[in-house]
Amino acid sequence: MLEDAVGLAAVTVLAVLEQAYFSLQVIYARRKYSVSPPATTGPPEFERVFRAQANCSEYFPVFITVLWTAGVFFSQGLSSVCGLLYLYGRLCYFRGYSQSAQGRLAPLYFSAKILWVLVGFSSLGVFLSFCRVYLNVDLLQEVCFALDLV
Ligand code: JUQ
């Protein structure tokens, strides 16, 4: 049922709102520093806000893809928590980058780590589901048997 994915949907809507917030900041920065479209260059203060928004947008499709594949095939709870942490990391990244190029680094490393976790959950979840559906092997169950957990 689609209702089962409401946690992932909530994180997705929040992610879209965050992207809208970043875009609004670019519009304000254009006004503040008098940089009219299509120009994308200007004072460093403007260019940092512009690049922060562009970089967050660039990773948005990757983030949404692994959020949903990890959530559907691995764990919705873990995936949603990682999703919230990623969005928080990107907010810190945007604010840090708006201040200085150096200020973006710590939140960038944090966001990248969270994204790797989601990539890992997606890979594992899709692999296990594939084995179950096409090879009729429940690897998770096999591991539990092997470790004498059941
Ligand atoms: C591409 C595809 C999947 C990544 C981590 C995890 C999964 C990132 C690299 C950024 C930026 C910003 C700047 C959030 C070494 C493999 C990934 C993935 C990348 N990595 N860069 C950079 C441009 O200010 O410099 O936002 N974000 C990443 O992940 C690490 C990369």
Side-chain angles (χ1 to χ4, degrees):
M1 288 297 105
L2 282 176
E3 282 96 6
D4 293 341
V6 69
L8 298 172
V11 177
T12 304
V13 172
L14 197 64
V16 170
L17 290 175
E18 187 177 71
Q19 285 296 120
Y21 168 76
F22 295 157
S23 296
L24 275 174
Q25 298 309 305
V26 175
I27 293 172
Y28 297 149
R30 279 192 179 281
R31 279 197 206 134
K32 187 174 173 185
Y33 301 107
S34 306
V35 182
S36 301
T40 55
T41 53
E45 290 79 7
F46 167 78
E47 289 186 357
R48 288 199 307 270
V49 173
F50 181 81
R51 281 315 310 169
Q53 189 269 340
N55 291 342
C56 292
S57 303
E58 197 172 308
Y59 286 90
F60 190 71
V62 178
F63 167 64
I64 294 296
T65 306
V66 290
L67 173 76
W68 278 84
T69 46
V72 169
F73 294 102
F74 189 74
S75 156
Q76 177 172 210
L78 287 176
S79 178
S80 300
V81 169
C82 286
L84 290 175
L85 289 174
Y86 180 84
L87 294 181
Y88 174 70
R90 277 301 179 184
L91 185 65
C92 296
Y93 168 84
F94 187 88
R95 296 205 165 140
Y97 205 173
S98 301
Q99 302 286 319
S100 70
Q102 179 72 26
R104 82 190 199 287
L105 289 178
L108 172 61
Y109 298 150
F110 175 75
S111 302
K113 268 183 213 149
I114 299 290
L115 201 60
W116 279 124
V117 172
L118 283 171
V119 170
F121 286 167
S122 299
S123 311
L124 194 63
V126 169
F127 176 72
L128 293 177
S129 299
F130 190 90
C131 291
R132 220 174 32 243
V133 173
Y134 288 104
L135 308 175
N136 221 357
V137 187
D138 195 335
L139 285 174
L140 217 52
Q141 204 174 53
E142 301 285 339
V143 170
C144 289
F145 272 127
L147 296 175
D148 231 7
L149 292 174
V150 268

